[in-house]
Amino acid sequence: LAKTTQPISMDSYEGQEVNITCSHNNIATNDYITWYQQFPSQGPRFIIQGYKTKVTNEVASLFIPADRKSSTLSLPRVSLSDTAVYYCLVGDPLYSSASKIIFGSGTRLSIRP
Amino acid sequence: EAGVTQFPSHSVIEKGQTVTLRCDPISGHDNLYWYRRVMGKEIKFLLHFVKESKQDESGMPNNRFLAERTGGTYSTLKVQPAELEDSGVYFCASSLGQGFSEQYFGPGTRLTVT
């Protein structure tokens, strides 16, 4: 299964746009990219999932270049409440078993006033 | 709609004792997962139920861990006897689809073995 690499931590300020990049050089043809967000003392929360180009929802945007070897989670105009750990996962939604889900270390995003 | 709930939120037990964790998934979700994060480590998959059947239990660390999902509703995860290295946060998640489908996580149970 594709292994992902993302920055350990990032800092930003309220009102800024934050982009978190994830590398997944060995992504397979049927794999999707999924991002989860985790606040302290809570379980991970699904944010967004995509296969290629761009996906946008009410929370974030996900940009995936043509070669799909990386992806970027974009959080527009962050607030203090966006301080969390963000995980990038790669796998086939239809055929990858849950045992292949690798959360990794995630990216610890800290937002300052 | 209620989310995934877990009980208890915290549990402190002594080495050698038994602890049972409970997870109530979102109603209608056939897929139920257990994960755990031990101190300083990453979130790791333990097992996956589809209804009452164990679809994949490859992540269960050893035979001291027993998971059940009688009737395909709530699930329990029993640790017997507990060891110090079992300390960590145990998460439950449920989903409509399998695997990499959107999973809904509970708040976790923090287990401390002393």
Side-chain angles (χ1 to χ4, degrees), chain B residues 1-83:
Chain B
E1 178 182 314
V4 176
T5 58
Q6 294 186 244
F7 182 83
S9 58
H10 293 85
S11 180
V12 180
I13 61 173
E14 293 183 352
K15 175 182 174 181
Q17 290 185 323
T18 298
V19 63
T20 300
L21 314 181
R22 173 171 170 145
C23 168
D24 286 79
I26 293 173
S27 177
H29 283 190
D30 287 340
N31 296 278
L32 186 149
Y33 313 81
W34 284 97
Y35 298 84
R36 75 171 180 176
R37 170 191 276 143
V38 294
M39 188 62 69
K41 300 290 183 63
E42 302 168 359
I43 298 173
K44 295 287 190 183
F45 167 85
L46 293 178
L47 89 159
H48 170 206
F49 282 101
V50 178
K51 297 184 180 179
E52 68 276 8
S53 299
K54 293 176 183 175
Q55 177 82 0
D56 184 346
E57 52 183 331
S58 61
M60 295 287 264
N62 51 61
N63 59 11
R64 295 186 294 104
F65 289 75
L66 175 64
E68 296 180 322
R69 192 183 182 194
T70 306
T73 54
Y74 70 92
S75 174
T76 58
L77 179 65
K78 182 163 68 174
V79 185
Q80 178 183 30
E83 298 289 343

Side-chain angles (χ1 to χ4, degrees), chain A residues 59-72:
Chain A
V59 177
S61 293
L62 179 59
F63 297 92
I64 306 167
D67 66 5
R68 305 200 326 121
K69 293 184 182 300
S70 67
S71 58
T72 299

Side-chain angles (χ1 to χ4, degrees), chain A residues 4-11 18-24 35-36 70-73 84-88 103-110, chain B residues 42:
Chain A
T4 62
T5 302
Q6 41 181 136
I8 295 296
S9 64
M10 293 181 66
D11 296 321
V18 171
N19 296 309
I20 306 175
T21 297
C22 178
S23 297
H24 28 80
W35 285 81
Y36 278 82
S70 67
S71 58
T72 299
L73 175 72
V85 178
Y86 292 80
Y87 297 98
C88 168
F103 275 88
S105 302
T107 297
R108 187 173 299 278
L109 176 64
S110 298
Chain B
E42 302 168 359

Side-chain angles (χ1 to χ4, degrees), chain A residues 5-86:
Chain A
T5 302
Q6 41 181 136
I8 295 296
S9 64
M10 293 181 66
D11 296 321
S12 189
Y13 294 90
E14 282 190 294
Q16 298 295 306
E17 177 185 78
V18 171
N19 296 309
I20 306 175
T21 297
C22 178
S23 297
H24 28 80
N25 291 317
N26 297 322
I27 190 168
T29 303
N30 295 329
D31 286 346
Y32 278 62
I33 300 118
T34 307
W35 285 81
Y36 278 82
Q37 173 191 56
Q38 185 179 22
F39 298 115
S41 301
Q42 293 187 26
R45 182 178 76 111
F46 175 94
I47 301 177
I48 198 166
Q49 184 178 74
Y51 182 79
K52 64 179 180 181
T53 61
K54 177 183 175 182
V55 179
T56 297
N57 60 24
E58 66 279 4
V59 177
S61 293
L62 179 59
F63 297 92
I64 306 167
D67 66 5
R68 305 200 326 121
K69 293 184 182 300
S70 67
S71 58
T72 299
L73 175 72
S74 181
L75 306 173
R77 297 184 60 78
V78 294
S79 64
L80 295 177
S81 62
D82 291 313
T83 294
V85 178
Y86 292 80

